[in-house]
Amino acid sequence: MTQTPHVPSTEPELAGVRNFRDLGGLPAADGRRVRSGVLFRSGHLAHATEEDARFLSSLGLHTVFDFRNAADIELDGEDIALDGVRHLNVPLNDPADGAEFWKMVRARDLTQLRTVLAGDRGAERMAESYREVVLTRTAEHSRVLHTLAEDGVPALMHCAAGKDRAGLSIAVTLLAVGVPREVIEADYLESNAPHRRYRMRREAEEGTGSREVAELLSPMFEARAEYLGAAFAAIEERWGAAERYLSEGLGLGSATRERLRERLLTD
């Protein structure tokens, strides 16, 4: 029987930032582990309270990677400013992607939602979006990893909910320093914890058919192993192996990989 990899829990109680955690302690290659205090993940920082901001400032962050697009930022707001911290907005999908879909959600158009999401279609939509990001956003992921290797840590990666775009970017980063896939998956699935999960806006929850809307949208708000698996499968189909993806797809040379390991891992 396969044991679930241990994922350390080192997270504070943040009032306005969801899904925050330190990746420190995750096992990597050659008996090493991810260093505590150098790589964090979360949902967006737009609603951080003053107390949250004080905590985030105490982390000594060098870089915040924000993977949201313009539509996300318009909806939730800009991240709070943290003194002395570089903020890099690296959108991982086009601002227009999904605009019509979310307009349909806000309108609570059950007929169209059933057409788009009923049965397995919602999960299939999510899996395909993971494939698309990993295949088409190699330049963005290359930029993230090169920034980390150069001078970008300690770093915090986030998107809107800290689940999908941040989840994929964290997965790629961990893959680059030799963290096993089963450990990457276990950390990814931690986003399903009730206190971490993204909450649908109230206007999408109230009114006639709200329960069915919530059920139809459920695959969009879950971290599922099949979604991350679709990304890994896309890597294998396009590049044959993770090493070729890292070297050819992301342009990571051996020196850059070694600097990443030095910055992110400890013995």
Side-chain angles (χ1 to χ4, degrees):
M1 181 176 177
T2 303
Q3 291 185 330
T4 301
H6 172 64
V7 176
S9 177
T10 52
E11 56 188 85
E13 291 293 329
L14 296 179
V17 180
R18 299 186 69 79
N19 207 3
F20 175 90
R21 55 193 184 273
D22 184 344
L23 281 295
L26 296 181
D30 302 322
R32 304 177 77 183
R33 290 186 176 271
V34 176
R35 192 187 305 273
S36 294
V38 297
L39 185 62
F40 305 91
R41 59 180 294 174
S42 74
H44 69 75
L45 310 183
H47 300 162
T49 64
E50 289 185 8
E51 188 174 346
D52 294 340
R54 282 193 293 272
F55 170 78
L56 293 169
S57 295
S58 76
L59 300 176
L61 293 172
H62 183 284
T63 310
V64 169
F65 294 97
D66 181 353
F67 300 121
R68 296 179 298 164
N69 59 44
D72 296 322
I73 294 170
E74 182 179 357
L75 180 66
D76 289 315
E78 298 276 358
D79 280 349
I80 59 164
L82 299 172
D83 289 344
V85 180
R86 176 175 56 174
H87 182 278
L88 294 180
N89 181 221
V90 186
L92 286 183
N93 55 5
D94 187 86
D97 283 355
E100 289 303 314
F101 172 79
W102 290 109
K103 186 184 297 183
M104 180 173 58
V105 171
R106 288 192 294 272
R108 284 174 261 159
D109 188 330
L110 271 173
T111 299
Q112 287 192 320
L113 283 171
R114 289 175 187 138
T115 299
V116 173
L117 299 176
D120 294 329
R121 289 193 285 275
E124 290 167 356
R125 180 188 182 96
M126 290 297 295
E128 183 56 35
S129 74
Y130 275 57
R131 288 179 54 87
E132 181 179 358
V133 168
V134 82
L135 291 174
T136 65
R137 299 293 173 163
T138 51
E140 288 85 347
H141 279 143
S142 177
R143 179 188 178 191
V144 168
L145 291 180
H146 279 91
T147 300
L148 291 175
E150 290 161 8
D151 63 353
V153 296
L156 168 66
M157 298 186 188
H158 79 78
C159 50
K163 174 177 71 75
D164 301 313
R165 289 164 289 185
L168 268 176
S169 300
I170 287 290
V172 169
T173 302
L174 296 177
L175 191 68
V177 296
V179 174
R181 275 183 53 172
E182 64 270 19
V183 176
I184 296 173
E185 180 182 296
D187 169 71
Y188 165 76
L189 293 175
E190 286 289 305
S191 291
N192 284 327
H195 67 289
R196 295 198 182 104
R197 286 189 59 157
Y198 185 82
R199 290 173 181 161
M200 285 182 284
R201 289 179 167 266
R202 187 171 299 277
E203 59 265 28
E205 298 176 315
E206 295 178 345
T208 304
S210 60
R211 180 172 297 180
E212 184 176 354
V213 170
E215 289 174 354
L216 288 168
L217 290 174
S218 180
M220 319 293 289
F221 295 97
E222 295 175 358
R224 296 187 181 182
E226 65 196 82
Y227 302 161
L228 192 60
F232 282 125
I235 287 172
E236 291 168 359
E237 290 164 12
R238 174 71 60 86
W239 290 280
E243 288 301 312
R244 281 189 60 200
Y245 163 67
L246 294 167
S247 62
E248 298 176 16
L250 303 188
L252 295 180
S254 58
T256 302
R257 292 280 298 279
E258 183 55 35
R259 283 199 303 272
L260 271 174
R261 286 188 285 265
E262 288 174 0
R263 294 190 184 278
L264 297 181
L265 302 183
T266 187
D267 293 330

